[in-house]
Amino acid sequence: MDHQRLTRERVFSSAEPEPPVSVRGAIATSWKRSRLSGIQPDGFAPPYAIPDTERQHRLLRAVRPVLQRLGEQLSGCSTAVVVADARGQIIGRWVEDDQLERQLDRIMLATGFSYGEDHVGTNAIGTALEQGGSATVVGGEHFVDVLQ
């Protein structure tokens, strides 16, 4: 069992009321929410729904100036910009790097898929929505193994 999975199991253990120092409190709290939602670390099945194109177009129109500026600033970097709605459903994705695009496709980080925490566990999109503010989730902090 890898270090991160052992750490997650320690967080769930009733013998340890406080998360280990190596785990940020927001991540430990998210792991607990993920587990309560029935998410399994070795499972991964983000649901897909046909996007509501009316709502999608309104949101994309609103963020377009920011996305254009970001696109210019990130040109040449192996970076993606993803826009999700208030439910965690991906409504847009911009990526120039072909290899990164294939990686995102493999983890279904694409238009129509939901990255709500209740569907795929701890991740920046779903956790930000749960916290009501920005979230950073790095590597082994993701609840589901495939996202690490």
Side-chain angles (χ1 to χ4, degrees):
M1 190 176 281
D2 68 11
H3 171 71
Q4 209 59 35
R5 182 166 285 180
L6 285 171
T7 302
R8 279 194 307 258
E9 291 306 316
R10 285 177 50 206
V11 168
F12 303 140
S13 164
S14 60
E16 293 190 43
E18 295 297 317
V21 176
S22 63
V23 178
R24 295 183 288 135
I27 297 300
T29 300
S30 174
W31 285 352
K32 289 177 184 178
R33 282 193 305 265
S34 298
R35 185 169 177 148
L36 287 172
S37 292
I39 307 297
Q40 296 298 316
D42 59 355
F44 184 70
Y48 176 84
I50 297 172
D52 176 348
T53 54
E54 168 91 18
R55 189 171 44 86
Q56 179 179 353
H57 290 308
R58 283 196 318 266
L59 181 54
L60 290 176
R61 272 196 312 273
V63 300
R64 184 164 283 123
V66 174
L67 294 175
Q68 287 174 333
R69 198 168 42 251
L70 266 175
E72 292 166 6
Q73 292 171 347
L74 297 173
S75 181
C77 297
S78 182
T79 303
V81 177
V82 178
V83 177
D85 66 14
R87 298 170 301 156
Q89 184 177 23
I90 309 302
I91 64 163
R93 177 183 86 179
W94 294 265
V95 59
E96 290 183 5
D97 182 290
D98 291 339
Q99 182 178 354
L100 179 56
E101 185 169 34
R102 286 189 298 277
Q103 288 174 320
L104 297 178
D105 287 344
R106 275 194 297 278
I107 60 169
M108 294 173 262
L109 187 56
T111 302
F113 288 95
S114 176
Y115 260 64
E117 199 179 74
D118 59 333
H119 296 297
V120 297
T122 305
N123 72 90
I125 294 167
T127 303
L129 290 170
E130 288 293 328
Q131 294 177 169
S134 65
T136 302
V137 180
V138 180
E141 293 179 333
H142 291 87
F143 188 78
V144 178
D145 297 337
V146 72
L147 297 179
Q148 296 178 6

